[in-house]
Every structure is written in C-alpha cells, then in structure tokens.
C-alpha cells in the first residue's frame, strides 16, 4: 500500500513537470496571437511612418514576437503594447526616431490590452482617438510627449480599470492638449497615478473638486496647466492617499491652501512658479512624512520658520527666487539632530547676516546653494562637518571675510562656486588638500582691489582634475600657474584680471588647443606673440582682451568667438580668414594697429554674427558683396580711414542691429536698400562725408531704432518729420551738417526720451557712440542705454524752439546751438527736470530767461551766449553754482549775477547818491534802531519782572508802573519807526 502511494506520488510529479513544460511557455509551443489581433497591429503600423525602422520586426505569423508586443502566455492574447520612443536622448533626437502619423482605431481589436505606451512619439497634433475609451481592460495608458492635440475625449472616463494615466504634453509645443472639464475623472475609481502636465486646463474652474473624487490617487502631476485657481478651502479631503503633488508653473496668485496640510502622508510637494504670496505656513510642522518641498519662484515673504528644520524626513528644501529675508538662525536652531536634509537651495532671496555655525548640523547635506543673497562675513569653521557635500555655492553674496582652510576637507565636493563675492586673505594649497573630486571651481570678486591672493607653489600638483576653473578680479600672478597643465579634463579656463604678466609658458597653446572650449585671459598684462596657426579640438571661444599681445592676427581653426581688442596687434587682416576660420561667429579686433583693407573673404563667413574692427588704421573701400553674411547683427568699423560709398548689398543684412561706420571718410548718399534692415537699433554714420538729404525711410522702416547719429557730415534739407515715428529713439544727433528749415514740433512724440529705462534695457548692448555732452566729447558704451540726447547744433535751422520738446521729461542733453533760431526760450523748460546739458548759444533767441530754468537741479552745463536775451538772470538753486559769466556772454540786454552788468534795481540799492540812495541809507539806520529797540524791550521786560519778584512789594509796584510806562514808550517808538520805514520802502519801490 505504501509502495503504491509512492508510485502515485511520483506519477503526479511527472505529470506536473510535463504540464510545466507544455504550458509554462506558450511561445515555445507557438501559441501565437490570433489573426484578428495580428491584422489589427499591421493596420496600426500602416498608419505610421517609421524613420528608424523600429517596427521592422513586425513580420511573420506570431505577433507576440514583435518588438514592443507582449502576449498572455496561456492564450497568446496581446496584453501589452509598448512603443515608447526609448531611442530619444534629447528633444532633437526624439524627433528623428519618433513614430509619426495617427493612432489607428484598429487597436479596438486588441480585446485584452492592459498596457498601452505610445509616449515620446509624434502624432503631429492629431487628437486622442475616442476609441481608446473603449479599451476597457486597460490599466496603464501613457500618451505623454506624443505631440497629440485637441480636446481630451471624455470617453477616457470609461476606463474603469485604469490605474496609471499619463497625458503630459509639451507646454511650448504648437500641438497642445486641452480639457474644458474633468468630470470624466469620476469614472476612474482605481486611478493611482495621474499626470496631465502641460495640458491646458485654464477653462476648468473645478479641477480640485474633480481630482478630489479619486480616492486611490497617490501621485498627481498638473504642472504648466495654466490653472488659475488654487482654492484655499476644501470641504472634505477624499484623496488622502496622495504621496506626491506637482502643480508647479501655474497662475495661482494666492496664498498656500490650508487643505494641503490635511494630507499628512505627503512626501513630495512641488509648487514652484505659481506666484504664491504670504509667508511660509507653520502648518508644515505636522507633515512629518515630507521629503521634498519646492516653493521656488514665488512672492513669499518673511523668514524660514524653524519648524522646517524639525522635519526629520525632509531631504530637499528649495525656496529659491522669493522675497524671504532675515537670517538663518531660527531655521538652524530648529534643526532636528536626526535631520535628513540633503539639498538646501535659497537662491536669490534677501537673506542677510553671518552664516550660522549651526549649519554644521546638516551633516547629510549634498547641495548647499545660497546664491545671490546678502550674506556677509566668513564661512563658519563648522563647514568641515559637511562630509557629504557635493555642491557649495555662495555666488553673488558680499562675503567679505576669509575662506577657512577646513574647506579643503570636503572630500566629496564637486562644485565650489564663490563667484561675485568679496573675499579677503589668502588661498593656499591647504584649501584644496582633500578636494579630490572637485570638477568646477569659481572664485571671482566684485571688487577691483584684489583683496584675495592665491598662493600656489610652482611645483604644486593639485589633488583634483577640474573641468572648469573661473578666477577673476583676484591676485594670481605675476606668473601663470604651472599646475594648470595637470588638468587633463579642463574645458573652461577663465583667469580674468588676475595680474598675470609676461609671456605664457611654451607648453600652453599646444596643451590648450587639445582640450579648452572656453578660454578667457582678458585684462592681464600678458605679452608676446600668438602662434600663427593652431587647430582647436572643438568650437572654441577665445577672449584675450586688454593685454599687451603683438604681432600678426592668428589664424586658428575651430574657433567660434575671437576677441582680441585692446592689444598691439599689427599688419593686415589675413586674406584667407574665411577659409581658415569658417566657424567664426564673433570677431572683435578693435583697438589695435591693424592696417590695409578689409578683405573680401571676411564677408564669406556665413555664420558671422558680430564683426568689430573699430579703432584701427584700416583703409580702402568696403567689400562689395555682403549677401553671404545674412546672420550679421553687429558691424562696427568706426575710427578708421575707410572710404568710398556704402555698398547697396548691405541692404541684404536683414538681421543687422548695429551699424556703426563713424569717424571714417565715407562719401555719397545713404543707400535706399538699407531700409530693408528693419531691425536696426543703432545707426551711426557720424564724422564722415555723407551728403544728400536725411532719408525719410529711417523713420518708417526702422521702428526699433534707438540711436541715430549723423553728426559732422554734409547732409542738407529739412529734418524729416518721419523721424518722429521712432518711439524708441533716445539718441538723436544730427549736429554739424547743413540742415535747414524749422525743428519739427512732432519731436515731442519721441517717447523714448520721456520714458524711464527698464532694468533689462539698461543692460542691452548698443555699441560705443561719441556724444557731445557737458561741453565736451564723451564716448559712451556700457551706460549708453541710459543716455537721452537731442543734438541739432551747428546747422542752419530757423524758427522757434518748439514748446512740444518740453514733453521729453527725461531728456539729459538738449543742444540747439549755432543755428538761426528766433523767439523765446520756452517758459516751462524747467519741466526737463533731468537735463544736465542745455546749449542754446549762438542763435537769435530773444526775451527773458525763464525763471523755471533755476528748478533744474541736475543742470551742470549751460550755455546761452550770443543771443538777444534781456532782463535779469534768474537766481537760486542750481543756477547759483553756474557762475561762469561766459554762459551769458554776447547778450547785451542781460544783467545780474554772474555778469558785471547790474540790473537797474541793483544800481539803485548800491548807488551812494540821489534820493534812492538816501532812502536806502535811512532804511538801514532805522532798521538798526528797530533791532536795538527790540533788544532793550527784551532786557527791560525780563529783568524788570524777575527783579521785582526778589525785592520788596513797594519796589514791585514801582517797577510794574515803570514797566507799563516803558512798554508804552517802546510800543510807540516801534510803531512810529515801522510806519516810517514802510512808507519809505513803498516810495523806493514806486520809483523802480
């Protein structure tokens, strides 16, 4: 019996084993997919284009073997279709490898499909097919970044088994998904993951109420959805299973809602870029599960509450780009001893004070970013406790203390960013002793005093191998640091203004060409010559500005930007520059000693964006064909000896922003073809020999023009009224020509002269322009966007000074001198309250000088000489400091200070003879008696009262009687004296 049982057991085991072999792998037994499903997949394939052949395996009978297709092992039914574009590494690569076309409705025949992923492909803006809502077995649907468009079909609400839904869309794409309501979400009770980032939900006002109906939801991603409301209250919180929320980059403009703090299981909250207001709520104290909190790019104010430091599970805290202030003491004092914080980013707030020593309690910190605040002082010694720190940035803080040597113990440090600070003291080898993993080093100063000195031995071998080094405005030299050659991974080398002098080491250029992509050795005292030819390994940027380099211009291949200005290079520009340096985008050879002409090959550099050759000794005519440099934006050839006419082909430079040809010997008229350069910002042809009329198209075809300088040429005719259309113009210099006619009254429409300069505009590059202001010629460059000037001097203009020009409230210089203007100076000229230079000299202006002129407190240069002005010169305020008589010279009718010619009333008050003078003398005498009477009355009254209080009663009575009598006499004397003085003063005024 026992033997029979053993035999039966063995038989059952064999049967089970055979079943496993037979049915354990359906594919091995060729249980393939059905013909219906295979045909459905082939029809789906036919609706797509496949540039990378990703569906090339879709041949043969068994579709379960095809790429991206998975089947149920027992039945061969297709359950999974995963065609995610996994070949993509970036957006450009994704476009190349993406499947294109439309999603075919044949997928309906895949009756058991549970998993569908078509993400990262390109369905060219086609809508999500409604039939997808009929795939009722789906539990996973991913259509993210698939270039789908149109409205999301509510039929998706039929997918009651769905657990994962990802419809994330590119928010910056022309193909965008839109939803007008989210009611269909109620049909997805099992949904755990919802990502609709980038979908336009601006029309959905009840989005929170609908999402709240998903009880199983654990992850919610609604970033960049244009959500307008962020309700503060929620009657009940149904999605209590949430662990991750991302609603960043919306348009809430509200405080943080209170309901979010009822979801105590949240681990990740990402709310960046929502314009949230108010302070950081202290209710975060209850969110003990929180691991990641991002409240960056808001308008939050106040301090960082200490309770955030007490969240023991918090790993990353990002509060960058807010208006938070105060110090970090409260936060660091609240730190839990068991804190888990790994990332702390407080970039661009208003924090101040010393860095607290308690920061050392953040022993798990991997990234500490405190950029662009107002921290000062030194780094605390406790920094040595950051044993895991990889990224440390104090960029843009006024840190004016010392850097401790203990920073050299941060063995895990990869990025050390101390740029734009004010460190003092010495940096030695000890500061880097154990920084074996350091890849990026930046230490630059905001001060040119170079209070920080680097002290490295000539034989020092650093423990790190950097990829980037940026040291600026500190002291490194005079020798070039030899240890640089040990950095085999270096790609960026900036040693700007570090007092390096003499010649570079012999090994440098060969070593540099093999690895460096960005080289900046500007503002040093480097001398010698450069290698004539060199081949860099990649597109390289080279900045050797303001040194003492000499010799010919080098021809270096694979250079993208070459800046050699302010050196002593000489000789011609090489004729073969386009063949040797075809990648050039920016070339600046200004302020050298170059000779010869501009080679025609230079205008064959098809990628050229800026060409600056100003301040050399170049001569000859310009190249004739400019049609190949279509991308050129900046052309600056000022201060040379160039001649000839402007080629008409320059009109093909549609991208041109700055055209600066001043201080040469160009002739002829401005070519009509330049009207095609509609994007011009600066048009400077000053100090040449151009002739003809000022083109009217300048006002019509260059609406962005901000600088127009045509001074010192031979232009004739009237000032075109079309120039008044240039609403952005802030420099108009037409001085020293032969212009005639009247000044257009419409100049008051130049709103660029009246509007305040915006912060972003103040940083705009507008080139260098020579401007006559404050009585002398000044070259403006970095501050040029702030200059507002009208200079029409030295022409033949007639008529009046237009009253409308007073509308230009922010005008800094107004020069109308050396013309034939008549009439009076506008009475309300004081409304130009920012005026620094006013020159109306050498005209035929008449009338008096307006008193309002004295209210211009900024005025420091005034010239009204050689006119027909009359009357008394106004006094007071700023005019008191302008006491040079030459300001008013040549106006015989003017009188008063600072001229020696006194006005009539001044002579009457100072002449010792005549009735007027007798009256003046008598007035002085009586004024003396007036003050004497007041003094006597005060003394008698004060001591009379006090004295009588100290003496006998009879004395007090006698004194009171005496005081009464004295008071009456004094009152009578004062009254009579005042009456006489008043009568004589009135008599004196009547004679004036």
């Amino acid at each position: 019996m026992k033997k029979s049982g053993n035999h039966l057991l063995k038989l059952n085991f064999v049967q089970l084993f055979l079943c496993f072999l037979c049915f354990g792998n359906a594919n091995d037994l060729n249980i393939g997919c059905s013909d219906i499903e295979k045909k459905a997949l082939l029809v789906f394939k036919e609706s797509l284009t496949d540039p990378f052949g990703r569906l090339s395996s879709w041949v043969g009978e068994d579709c379960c073997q095809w790429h991206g297709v998975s089947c149920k092992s027992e039945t061969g039914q297709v359950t999974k279709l995963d065609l995610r574009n996994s070949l993509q590494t970036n957006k450009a690569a994704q476009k190349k490898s993406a499947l294109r076309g439309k999603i075919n409705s044949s997928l309906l025949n895949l009756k058991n499909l549970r998993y569908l992923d078509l993400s990262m492909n390109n369905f060219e803006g086609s809508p999500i097919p409604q039939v997808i809502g009929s795939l009722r077995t789906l539990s996973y649907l991913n259509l993210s970044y698939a270039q789908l468009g149109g409205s999301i079909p509510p039929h998706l609400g039929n997918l009651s088994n769905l657990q994962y839904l990802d419809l994330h869309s590119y928010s910056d794409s022309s193909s965008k998904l839109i939803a007008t309501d989210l009611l269909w979400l109620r049909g997805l009770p099992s949904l755990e993951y919802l990502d609709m980032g980038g979908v336009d939900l601006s029309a959905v006002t009840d989005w929170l109420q609908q999402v709240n109906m998903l009880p199983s939801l654990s992850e919610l991603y609604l970033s960049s959805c244009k959500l307008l409301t962020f309700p503060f209250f929620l009657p009940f919180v149904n999605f209590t299973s949430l662990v991750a929320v991302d609603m960043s980059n919306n348009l809430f403009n509200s405080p943080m809602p209170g309901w979010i703090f009822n979801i105590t299981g949240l681990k990740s909250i990402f709310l960046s870029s929502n314009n949230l207001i108010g302070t950081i709520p202290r209710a975060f104290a209850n969110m003990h599960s929180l691991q990641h909190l991002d409240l960056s790019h808001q308008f939050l104010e106040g301090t960082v509450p200490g309770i955030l430091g007490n969240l023991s599970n918090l790993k990353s805290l990002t509060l960058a780009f807010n208006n938070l202030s105060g110090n970090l003491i409260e936060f660091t004092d609240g730190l839990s001893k068991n804190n888990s914080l790994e990332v702390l980013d407080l970039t661009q707030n208003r924090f101040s004070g010393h860095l607290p020593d308690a920061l050392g309690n953040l022993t798990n910190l991997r990234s500490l970013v405190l950029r662009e605040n107002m921290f000062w002082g030194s780094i605390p010694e406790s920094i040595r406790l950051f044993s895991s720190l990889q990224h440390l940035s104090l960029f843009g803080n006024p840190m004016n203390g010392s850097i401790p040597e203990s920073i050299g113990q941060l063995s895990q440090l990869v990025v050390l960013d101390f740029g734009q600070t004010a460190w003092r003291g010495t940096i030695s080898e000890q500061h880097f002793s154990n920084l074996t993993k350091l890849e990026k080093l930046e230490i630059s100063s905001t001060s040119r005093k170079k209070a920080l000195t680097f002290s490295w031995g000539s034989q020092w071998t650093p423990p790190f191998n950097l990829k980037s080094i940026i040291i600026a405005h500190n002291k490194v030299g005079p020798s070039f640091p030899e240890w640089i050659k040990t950095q085999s991974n270096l790609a960026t080398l900036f040693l700007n203004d570090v007092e390096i002098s003499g010649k570079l080491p012999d090994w440098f250029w060969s070593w540099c060409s093999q690895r460096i992509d960005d080289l900046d050795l500007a503002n040093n005292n480097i001398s010698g010559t450069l290698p004539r030819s060199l081949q860099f390994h990649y597109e390289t940027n080279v900045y050797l500005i303001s040194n003492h380099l000499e010799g010919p211009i080098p021809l270096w291949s694979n250079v993208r930007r070459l800046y050699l200005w302010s050196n002593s290079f000489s000789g011609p520009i090489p004729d073969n520059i386009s063949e040797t340096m075809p990648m050039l985008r920016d070339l600046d050879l200004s302020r050298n000693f170059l000779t010869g002409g501009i080679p025609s090959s230079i205008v064959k550099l098809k990628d050229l964006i800026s060409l600056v050759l100003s301040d050399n000794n170049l001569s000859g005519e310009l190249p004739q064909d400019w049609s190949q440099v279509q991308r050129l934006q900046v052309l600056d050839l000022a201060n040379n000896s160039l001649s000839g006419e402007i080629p008409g082909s320059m009109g093909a430079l549609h991208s041109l922003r700055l055209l600066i040809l001043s201080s040469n010997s160009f002739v002829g008229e401005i070519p009509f073809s330049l009207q095609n350069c509609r994007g011009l910002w600066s048009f400077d042809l000053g100090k040449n020999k151009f002739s003809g009329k000022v083109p009217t198209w300048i006002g019509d075809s260059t609406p962005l023009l901000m600088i127009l300088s045509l001074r010192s040429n031979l232009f004739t005719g009237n000032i075109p009224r079309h120039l008044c259309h240039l609403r952005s113009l802030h420099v108009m210099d037409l001085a020293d020509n032969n212009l005639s006619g009247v000044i257009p009254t419409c100049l008051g429409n130049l709103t660029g002269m009246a509007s305040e300069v915006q912060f972003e505009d103040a940083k705009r590059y507008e080139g260098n322009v020579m401007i006559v202001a404050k009585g002398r010629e000044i070259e403006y460059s970095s501050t040029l966007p702030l200059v507002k000037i009208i200079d029409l001097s030295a022409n033949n203009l007639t008529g009046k000074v237009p009253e409308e020009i007073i509308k230009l409230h922010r005008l800094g210089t107004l020069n109308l001198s050396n013309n034939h203007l008549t009439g009076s100076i506008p009475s309300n000229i004081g409304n130009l309250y920012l005026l620094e230079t006013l020159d109306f000299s050498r005209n035929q202006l008449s009338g008096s000088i307006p008193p309002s002129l004295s209210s211009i407190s900024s005025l420091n240069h005034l010239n009204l000489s050689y006119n027909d002005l009359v009357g008394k010169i106004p006094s007071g305020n700023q005019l008191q400091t302008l006491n040079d008589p030459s300001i008013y010279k040549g106006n015989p009718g003017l009188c008063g200070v600072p001229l020696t010619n006194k006005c009539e009333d001044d002579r009457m008050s100072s002449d010792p003879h005549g009735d007027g003078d007798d009256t003046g003398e008598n007035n002085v005498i009586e004024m003396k008696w007036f003050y004497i009477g007041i003094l006597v009355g005060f003394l008698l009254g004060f001591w009379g009262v006090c004295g009588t209080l100290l003496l006998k009663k009879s004395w007090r009575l006698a004194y009171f009687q005496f005081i009464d009598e004295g008071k009456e006499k004094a009152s009578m004397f004062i009254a009579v004296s005042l009456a006489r003085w008043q009568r004589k003063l009135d008599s004196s005024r009547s004679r004036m």
Side-chain angles (χ1 to χ4, degrees), residues 143-207:
L143 301 178
S144 62
Y145 301 107
Q147 300 290 346
L148 292 162
S151 297
I152 297 175
H155 304 76
L156 294 183
N158 298 329
L159 304 177
S160 57
N161 294 313
L162 204 62
Q163 298 176 12
Y164 185 105
L165 176 60
D166 190 349
L167 301 178
H168 202 117
S169 176
Y170 288 116
S171 59
D172 59 347
S173 172
S174 57
S175 302
K176 294 182 180 179
L177 288 172
I178 302 173
T180 54
D181 70 73
L182 295 178
L183 288 171
W184 52 271
L185 285 177
R186 299 188 177 208
L188 309 177
S190 303
L191 197 64
E192 299 176 2
Y193 181 103
L194 175 61
D195 187 346
M196 295 179 66
V199 177
D200 187 347
L201 301 180
S202 58
V204 184
T205 57
D206 62 344
W207 64 271

Side-chain angles (χ1 to χ4, degrees), residues 869-891:
L869 300 171
V870 297
K872 186 174 182 178
I873 297 172
S875 60
N877 297 334
Q878 189 69 8
L879 289 184
Q880 290 181 336
T881 65
L882 301 173
N883 53 10
D884 183 358
S886 65
I887 293 174
Y888 309 102
K889 185 179 181 181
N891 291 280

Side-chain angles (χ1 to χ4, degrees), residues 76 96 157 171 180 191 212 282 308 323 328 345 358 370 413 485 524 575 632 638 754 920 956:
K96 294 180 180 179
S171 59
T180 54
L191 197 64
N212 191 36
R282 294 186 175 274
L308 292 182
N323 294 317
L328 298 183
D345 188 350
L370 306 178
L413 200 62
K485 66 181 177 183
N524 286 289
D575 289 332
L632 193 65
R956 288 198 297 271

Side-chain angles (χ1 to χ4, degrees), residues 297-410:
H297 295 271
Q298 318 283 1
F299 296 103
L300 297 175
E301 299 176 332
T303 61
V304 179
I307 52 96
L308 292 182
N310 202 34
L311 298 176
S312 58
N313 290 312
L314 193 63
K315 293 184 178 180
S316 69
L317 176 60
T318 305
L319 303 176
F321 301 97
N322 278 286
N323 294 317
L324 299 169
S325 58
N327 53 47
L328 298 183
I329 294 177
E330 181 186 356
F331 173 70
T332 54
D333 285 350
L335 284 172
S336 166
K337 292 183 179 179
N338 298 319
N339 73 83
S340 305
L341 201 61
E342 298 178 359
V343 175
L344 178 60
D345 188 350
L346 305 180
T347 297
Q348 211 170 99
N349 279 279
R350 293 184 293 161
F351 294 111
S352 59
H354 285 275
L355 296 179
D357 199 62
L359 275 177
N361 295 331
L362 298 172
T363 53
N364 296 309
L365 212 58
R366 292 186 292 106
S367 177
L368 177 60
V369 182
L370 306 178
R371 293 172 59 101
E372 297 177 76
N373 282 281
M374 291 179 282
F375 293 114
W376 52 277
S378 300
I379 297 176
E381 286 288 343
S382 61
I383 195 172
R384 67 183 185 281
L385 302 175
F386 292 161
S387 57
S388 302
L389 195 65
Q390 299 175 11
H391 185 172
L392 175 59
S393 177
L394 293 172
F395 181 97
N397 284 279
M399 301 294 295
N400 55 357
S402 59
I403 302 174
E405 289 186 352
S406 55
I407 203 169
Q409 302 306 311
L410 305 181

